[in-house]
Amino acid sequence: MTRLAPLTTQARVWSTHLLHSLCVAVAAITVRPLPTVGAQERPAASLAEIDSLIQQGLSLVAKGDTAEALEALERATDRAPRNVEALYQRGRLLTRTTSLGFNNTPRQVLAWRLLNRGADLAPRDARFLLELARLRLRTPLLRADAERLLGKAVTVAVAAADTAMIAESSSEFGRLYERRYRTTRKRHVYIANIFFDPYAARNRLHYVREFLEHQIRPIDNAGAADRAEADRLYRLALSVDPEHVASGVGLLGLLYDEQRYPEMRAVAAPFLTREYDIRHPNPIPGEADVASVATVAFADGLAAARLSAPADAQRAFSVGLARLSPRERRDLLDISRLLTRGDSVRVAGLNDTARDATVRSFWETADPLISTPENEAQLEYFARVAVTMLRYDDAEQGVRGWRTDRGTIVIRYGEPPVEVLLPPANDISARDVTGRIVTVFSYPALELEFVFAGPPAMNSAGFAGDFRDVADQRRNDEPFRLDEMAARTRVDSMSVQVARFRGRSASEYQVLTAAAARPARFYDGVEIDRGQLSIRSFRGSPDRLRMVDSQQVTVALPASRPVEYLRLDTLPVGDHRVRIEVVDPSVQSAAARANVSVTLPAMRDTSLALSDVLLGTRTPEGMGRALRSLADAGVRPLYGTRIAPRDTFSLYVEAYGLRADARGDVQIEITLAVTLLEINRSGPIIERWMGNLADVVGLTPEGDKQLGMRFNRTERLDGRDRVPLLTSIGMGTAPSGRYRLDVLVREIGSDRRALVSREFTIGSIGESGK
C-alpha cells in the first residue's frame, strides 16, 4: 500500500485558503450582501441614531435576547455601513453566538465580512483582529490563521498603547497556547504501529497497564514551550491590566500544574481583596460567568489546601461559592454526583429539610476529624472542583469543568496518579480515536482506568468507547473516594468495642463504648518527650452529632501502652452514631478516630432476647460478688476485639424475657461455640489447633472446625428483668486469625431460644474491628 506523504507547510496554507473559499461560496447563497460603502438607499442616519441602535443592541444582549439584539445592530450597519462601532458590535455578537464547526457557515462568513470591513476602516483598532481570531477559533482547520491574527492583534494593541486590548488579545493568545499545552503535556508516542483501542481496554484484563508499559514512551518536555508562551502572555496581560481576571485564571492553572502553590496565592490575592465582581466589558451571557473571581477564589483555596492551610482554604472556597451564580452554587453543593445513582434519586426526592439533613450527615461522616474546625473531606472535594475549573473550564462554550467527563472522574476519585496522552491514530480500525487525542486516567491502587478522546488542540474530551458504562458501573460500587486526603491527614483508626444492654425500661439501652488509640503509631518520628492528647466523644442521630465528653491526657513518649477510653451512655430506642477522636493539636500526624453506627431496636418484654457479648478480663474487685448486672461483673472491657495469643478472656452477656417457674426459678441451657473464620498464618491444617481450645469449665470439641461447650444453669429471678452470664475462655495455641463466638441460650421447658454473636481476632487481624 502506498502511504501518502504528509502535507508540506505551503500545501497546508493553500488548503486553508481553499477551505475558506469554499465556505464563502456556500455562504454566498444565503447571506445577503453588505451594502456597498457608497450606497444611499435612504437618508444618512445621524450619529446619535446609530449610537442609539448600538446601545439598544447591547441592552438586549445583557437581557439575553440575542436575536433582537442582532436585528438592532443589523439596522445600525445598514444605516451606517462605515460606522466602526456598529460593524464591531454586530460582528462580535455574531462571532460569540457561533458554535464550533461548519453548522453556522453563513453566520461565520457574515461575521468575517463585517469584521474585515471594520479592520480596513480602523487598522489601528485591535478589537477587529481579536474578534476575527476568535471567529477562526470556532472554524475547524483554521486555527493556524487564528494564531496569526492574535499575534497581529497584540502587535497592533501594543503599538497603539491600548492597555485594554493588550490585555484582551494577550489573554486570548495565551489561552490558545494553553489549550495546545494541555493536549501535549504528558504526551507519549507509539513505539510500534499499534494504536490504543478503548474497546480492548474495556474488555481485556490488564490491557491498559501492559499497553502503557510496552507500547508507548514519553516525550521529554512535552508542551513545555507552549506552557512557557502561555505564561508569558498571561503575565503581559496582567502587567497592563492587573484586574484582567481571565489572565489570572489562566496563569493560576499553569502554576498549579507546576505545584507553585505560594505563587498561586500571590497571584490570587489582589483579586480577592476587591469588593466587586470583575467581568469582561460588554459580556456575552455565559462567557463572563466562567472566567470570574469565583474561579480565582477556588484556585486560592486549592493552593491553600495543598499547603496544608485548611482555615485559609475554607475561607477561599466560601468566597468562591458566594461569587458563583445561585444555579452553579446549588449544583456544587448537591452531593448527588458523589452518590450511587439510586441514592442520588432518593436524595432528590426528599423535601428541603430532609435533604439538608442528609447532606450534613454525609459530610460529617466523611470528615476525618470533626474535632478540627474544618471539614477536611469537604475541602478536598472543593479542591478537586477547583482542579476541574482550572483545567477543563471552556469560556468559549460556557462549560464548567466539573460537568465534563474528565472533571466527573477527578471529583469522584481525585487526580489520576498516572495520566497519559496519546497522539491521534491514522488507522481507521482504531474505533472512536481516529484523528483524536486519547487520554488515559489510571488509578493503579484502585485497579481502575478511564479512557477519553477529543480533538487536537481543543482541550475537550469525552469518554471513549464504552467507558461511560465503566464509569456508571464503578459509581454503583464506589461513587466517591478520598484516598489522597487519607494519605495527607494520616488519621489512625482506633480499636473499638460497642456493647448494648437493656436499660431500666424496654425503651432505653445502656451502650458501652470501649476504644483505644496507639500513640506509638501516630507519634512515630516526632522528636518530643511528652504529648498532650485531647479525647473527645460525640454522639447523636444519623444526621447530626454533638460533643458529649472531652478529656485531656498527657502521654510520656515513647509510649508503649495504648490510650484507653471507656464510656457508658443511656440512649433511647432508635438509630445513633458514636464517634471518638483522639488528637494532639500540636502534632499533625497525632490523630485517631473511631466511628460506629448503633441501632437500638424496640424490645418486647415477652420475647427471649440477649444483649451484645462484651469481651473483657475479670478484675479482682468483681470476685465473690453476687452477679445481678454489669456493675457487679467486675469485667474490664477489651478496647477493641483483639485477643493476644495464648491469652484468656471473659465474656459477659445478659438474657432478657426469661419466665420463672412456680418456684420463681428459670432453667436455661447455654451453648458457646467458637468458629475460625479466617486464618492468618501458614502452617499445619486448621484442624490441628481445634483440640487446643479450652475453657475453665471444660470446653469440648464439636464438629470439624468448630468447638464449644454446653451447660445448664438455674437462676432465681427475684423480680429481676435479666439474668447475667459470665465465663472465661482460654484460646491456648489457637492460630492468629479471625473468629466468631456464638452464644445460644435456650429456656428449658418452653424451648424458647435466642442467639447472639461477636467476632474477635487473635493476633494482628482486625485491630480496629467492632
Side-chain angles (χ1 to χ4, degrees):
M1 180 183 294
T2 302
R3 186 179 297 274
L4 296 177
L7 291 175
T8 64
T9 302
Q10 184 65 32
R12 286 197 296 270
V13 172
W14 278 108
S15 66
T16 297
H17 285 297
L18 177 60
L19 176 62
H20 180 236
S21 300
L22 290 173
C23 292
V24 172
V26 172
I29 302 174
T30 56
V31 176
R32 182 161 55 92
L34 291 173
T36 60
V37 174
Q40 296 291 335
E41 298 179 1
R42 65 184 73 181
S46 66
L47 183 59
E49 181 182 353
I50 300 303
D51 286 344
S52 176
L53 288 171
I54 293 173
Q55 291 304 316
Q56 179 186 353
L58 294 178
S59 177
L60 290 167
V61 168
K63 295 177 181 179
D65 192 347
T66 54
E68 290 293 332
L70 283 171
E71 290 186 10
L73 295 173
E74 182 179 1
R75 290 196 299 272
T77 56
D78 285 348
R79 301 292 303 278
R82 298 179 61 88
N83 187 290
V84 173
E85 191 64 24
L87 291 169
Y88 171 71
Q89 294 296 349
R90 186 184 175 197
R92 177 175 177 273
L93 185 55
L94 285 168
T95 297
R96 303 301 178 86
T97 54
T98 297
S99 59
L100 180 67
F102 293 109
N103 296 332
N104 295 291
T105 299
R107 181 182 290 250
Q108 291 170 345
V109 172
L110 178 56
W112 179 263
R113 295 178 63 187
L114 289 163
L115 294 170
N116 254 329
R117 172 173 287 183
D120 291 340
L121 294 172
R124 292 175 56 84
D125 192 339
R127 294 183 304 169
F128 291 98
L129 294 169
L130 177 59
E131 292 306 319
L132 284 168
R134 285 170 170 162
L135 183 62
R136 281 297 191 238
L137 290 173
R138 286 170 164 78
T139 309
L141 307 180
L142 296 181
R143 301 181 72 83
D145 197 34
E147 182 177 348
R148 176 187 65 82
L149 289 165
L150 285 171
K152 187 175 180 181
V154 174
T155 301
V156 170
V158 170
D162 186 342
T163 56
M165 288 313 301
I166 293 174
E168 276 291 297
S169 55
S170 297
S171 180
E172 190 69 59
F173 206 4
R175 202 150 44 232
L176 182 145
Y177 278 103
E178 184 187 358
R179 281 191 291 263
R180 187 182 297 168
Y181 152 71
R182 296 209 174 277
T183 56
T184 53
R185 65 187 288 267
K186 300 188 178 180
R187 181 73 73 90
H188 289 59
V189 294
Y190 294 109
I191 295 175
N193 195 28
I194 301 176
F195 298 103
F196 188 89
D197 185 349
Y199 290 95
R202 170 69 176 90
N203 298 312
R204 287 169 51 186
L205 187 65
H206 305 313
Y207 174 88
V208 173
R209 186 190 66 187
E210 293 172 357
F211 196 99
L212 298 186
E213 289 178 355
H214 304 296
Q215 300 298 332
I216 61 173
R217 61 176 175 81
I219 301 176
D220 294 336
N221 298 319
D226 291 326
R227 199 215 70 82
E229 187 62 14
D231 184 286
R232 182 188 72 82
L233 289 164
Y234 285 143
R235 293 182 187 275
L236 172 61
L238 291 171
S239 68
V240 297
D241 183 4
E243 298 184 353
H244 200 270
V245 66
S247 298
V249 170
L251 182 57
L252 286 165
L254 298 177
L255 293 174
Y256 178 72
D257 288 347
E258 296 195 327
Q259 301 182 11
R260 293 157 66 177
Y261 307 134
E263 192 173 350
M264 285 180 67
R265 303 210 65 191
V267 170
F271 293 99
L272 303 179
T273 56
R274 302 184 182 99
E275 297 297 329
Y276 55 89
D277 200 358
I278 302 172
R279 296 180 179 274
H280 292 292
N282 302 324
I284 303 296
E287 179 191 38
D289 292 334
V290 174
S292 66
V293 177
T295 307
V296 176
F298 269 87
D300 183 54
L302 170 63
R306 296 299 182 254
L307 290 170
S308 299
D312 289 351
Q314 181 167 286
R315 282 193 294 270
F317 290 140
S318 297
V319 171
L321 287 169
R323 292 300 183 103
L324 289 173
S325 67
R327 179 179 62 86
E328 290 189 326
R329 185 162 53 251
R330 286 193 302 271
D331 188 22
L332 276 189
L333 295 177
D334 182 8
I335 62 171
S336 295
R337 60 170 50 85
L338 309 179
L339 306 174
T340 65
R341 288 198 179 276
D343 288 340
S344 66
V345 171
R346 284 188 286 272
V347 170
L350 299 174
N351 59 44
D352 292 344
T353 301
R355 188 183 305 111
D356 291 344
T358 300
V359 171
R360 184 169 56 249
S361 176
F362 176 87
W363 287 119
E364 194 174 69
T365 302
D367 189 1
L369 290 171
I370 58 178
S371 301
T372 58
E374 299 82 21
N375 186 322
E376 290 81 3
Q378 193 171 39
L379 291 182
E380 175 60 22
Y381 165 68
F382 286 134
R384 293 178 181 180
V385 169
V387 172
T388 69
M389 295 168 81
L390 293 176
R391 289 184 177 166
Y392 309 132
D393 273 4
D394 189 338
E396 293 178 4
Q397 303 299 317
V399 173
R400 278 297 193 188
W402 70 74
R403 297 192 184 108
T404 64
D405 290 344
R406 289 176 297 176
T408 296
I409 298 303
V410 168
I411 286 175
R412 289 182 189 167
Y413 307 113
E415 296 179 68
V418 178
E419 181 178 357
V420 170
L421 274 69
L422 300 173
N426 57 14
D427 186 348
I428 59 173
S429 64
R431 296 170 292 177
D432 280 9
V433 297
T434 301
R436 299 168 70 82
I437 297 289
V438 173
T439 302
V440 180
F441 283 4
S442 177
Y443 298 82
L446 304 179
E447 297 184 350
L448 186 62
E449 294 93 17
F450 299 98
V451 181
F452 311 87
M458 295 296 292
N459 191 32
S460 62
F463 286 116
D466 54 2
F467 271 88
R468 188 174 303 280
D469 295 334
V470 174
D472 288 341
Q473 293 172 11
R474 187 68 180 201
R475 178 182 180 181
N476 287 330
D477 297 331
E478 289 182 301
F480 186 46
R481 290 185 64 96
L482 292 167
D483 300 79
E484 293 173 303
M485 182 206 69
R488 285 194 298 268
T489 54
R490 292 181 59 188
V491 178
D492 195 15
S493 60
M494 297 175 64
S495 302
V496 61
Q497 180 181 192
V498 176
R500 302 165 297 174
F501 303 94
R502 178 177 291 190
R504 288 169 295 190
S505 69
S507 62
E508 67 178 25
Y509 282 80
Q510 294 285 315
V511 179
L512 185 145
T513 306
R518 291 156 288 183
R521 289 184 57 168
F522 50 66
Y523 280 117
D524 184 32
V526 180
E527 296 182 357
I528 57 177
D529 59 2
R530 194 172 298 274
Q532 295 293 334
L533 289 177
S534 173
I535 305 177
R536 295 179 179 178
S537 176
F538 302 85
R539 191 185 68 224
S541 60
D543 63 335
R544 185 182 293 273
L545 291 174
R546 62 182 181 88
M547 188 169 67
V548 294
D549 187 28
S550 179
Q551 301 179 13
Q552 301 296 318
V553 176
T554 301
V555 180
L557 300 176
S560 58
R561 295 179 56 84
V563 173
E564 300 173 344
Y565 179 81
L566 180 65
R567 183 175 177 85
L568 185 63
D569 290 301
T570 300
L571 300 177
V573 168
D575 293 328
H576 302 266
R577 281 193 297 144
V578 177
R579 184 159 176 161
I580 302 167
E581 296 183 354
V582 178
V583 178
D584 187 333
S586 62
V587 180
Q588 183 177 357
S589 62
R593 71 169 185 173
N595 195 16
V596 182
S597 296
V598 181
T599 298
L600 305 178
M603 294 176 285
R604 293 182 297 173
D605 291 332
T606 57
S607 299
L608 177 60
L610 298 178
S611 71
D612 288 332
V613 177
L614 176 65
L615 304 182
T617 56
R618 295 290 299 273
T619 62
E621 293 80 6
M623 301 298 183
R625 289 181 184 175
L627 185 60
R628 301 178 65 87
S629 68
L630 178 62
D632 305 320
V635 175
R636 180 176 178 268
L638 293 178
Y639 294 84
T641 54
R642 185 172 65 90
I643 311 298
R646 297 179 177 272
D647 205 356
T648 297
F649 65 92
S650 298
L651 66 91
Y652 175 87
V653 64
E654 293 180 350
Y656 311 108
L658 291 168
R659 297 170 181 170
D661 58 20
R663 294 173 298 179
D665 295 337
V666 293
Q667 297 184 46
I668 54 177
E669 179 187 76
I670 304 165
T671 303
L672 304 181
V674 177
T675 304
L676 177 60
L677 301 177
E678 177 186 356
I679 196 168
N680 191 35
R681 72 180 186 192
S682 59
I685 59 175
I686 295 174
E687 286 80 358
R688 178 169 299 184
W689 289 286
M690 291 299 100
N692 296 327
L693 192 63
D695 184 85
V696 293
V697 294
L699 192 64
T700 55
E702 288 185 1
D704 292 335
K705 297 183 181 180
Q706 188 177 65
L707 296 177
M709 70 176 182
R710 181 181 296 115
F711 58 93
N712 295 346
R713 182 171 173 180
T714 301
E715 285 277 344
R716 183 169 294 275
L717 281 183
D718 289 335
R720 290 181 294 161
D721 65 347
R722 69 197 67 197
V723 173
L725 307 172
L726 176 63
T727 189
S728 297
I729 294 178
M731 296 299 294
T733 58
S736 295
R738 186 165 59 90
Y739 294 79
R740 186 183 72 244
L741 170 64
D742 296 319
V743 179
L744 175 65
V745 173
R746 182 177 67 87
E747 188 179 60
I748 298 175
S750 69
D751 207 34
R752 293 191 305 156
R753 61 188 63 205
L755 173 70
V756 66
S757 301
R758 166 76 77 180
E759 287 192 12
F760 66 95
T761 59
I762 295 178
S764 59
I765 292 183
E767 290 187 37
S768 60
K770 299 175 185 177

